[in-house]
Amino acid sequence: MNKRTKTILIGSALLATVGSAYAFGGHGNCNRQAGPMQAVLQLNNLTTEQRDQLYNLRNTQRASMRAQKDAMSDNRYALRAAMRNGADAETIKKLAEAQGAAVTAMIIHRAEMKKKVDAILTEEQRKQLANITDTNFGPPRGGPRGW
């Protein structure tokens, strides 16, 4: 095989691989990576005012959601490390209670966020959103996700 043929074959294989990955949303996507706010923005009948309100809501909530997620992650690692290192029951209990409180805070935050989003959307848009989230945000590995 000559050099030109090899180059064409390699280029075609690379293009096919990249194209397939892009078409299927990359590694592990299945439309679950974006989260519920991205599903809201998929609604094609949002007014400009609604879209602006949703972007503002998302941007104002992003920092607190990220902080809560980071706190949950840090506590989860601390809990795992404590269990791996043979910590006493009291230490593990405190870390587990902190993790429970963090999960509770996140659930409450998501519920409040959903109420705010619902207040922006019309009844028809809320029905469309329910169809989008039922289709694209089914339970991923590790349990249910979404609002």
Side-chain angles (χ1 to χ4, degrees):
M1 214 184 295
N2 65 28
K3 186 175 181 178
R4 183 176 180 187
T5 305
K6 285 181 184 178
T7 303
I8 290 171
L9 286 174
I10 292 171
S12 297
L14 181 61
L15 183 60
T17 303
V18 171
S20 296
Y22 184 74
F24 290 103
H27 176 69
N29 185 13
C30 298
N31 288 330
R32 293 183 185 149
Q33 302 297 333
M37 271 310 280
Q38 188 62 37
V40 173
L41 296 174
Q42 288 178 15
L43 296 173
N44 56 7
N45 58 351
L46 291 171
T47 66
T48 303
E49 182 181 335
Q50 285 176 313
R51 194 169 293 280
D52 289 344
Q53 288 175 325
L54 290 167
Y55 275 119
N56 289 336
L57 179 61
R58 184 172 88 175
N59 290 335
T60 58
Q61 300 297 314
R62 181 177 286 158
S64 64
M65 289 290 280
R66 185 165 288 139
Q68 284 181 321
K69 181 181 173 189
D70 290 345
M72 287 174 61
S73 180
D74 292 345
N75 191 72
R76 185 173 50 250
Y77 288 125
L79 181 59
R80 286 180 184 166
M83 292 175 68
R84 194 174 352 170
N85 295 330
D88 62 288
E90 189 60 34
T91 301
I92 292 173
K93 180 180 177 185
K94 286 179 184 177
L95 289 169
E97 287 172 348
Q99 185 68 10
V103 170
T104 300
M106 181 64 84
I107 291 169
I108 291 169
H109 192 95
R110 285 181 179 163
E112 290 170 350
M113 183 77 162
K114 183 173 183 335
K115 281 184 181 180
K116 291 175 183 178
V117 168
D118 284 348
I120 295 170
L121 301 177
T122 65
E123 182 63 32
E124 180 63 30
Q125 290 167 331
R126 285 191 289 274
K127 288 178 185 176
Q128 289 176 351
L129 179 61
N131 289 336
I132 290 172
T133 55
D134 286 346
T135 304
N136 293 332
F137 294 100
R141 291 173 282 154
R145 180 172 173 194
W147 299 111

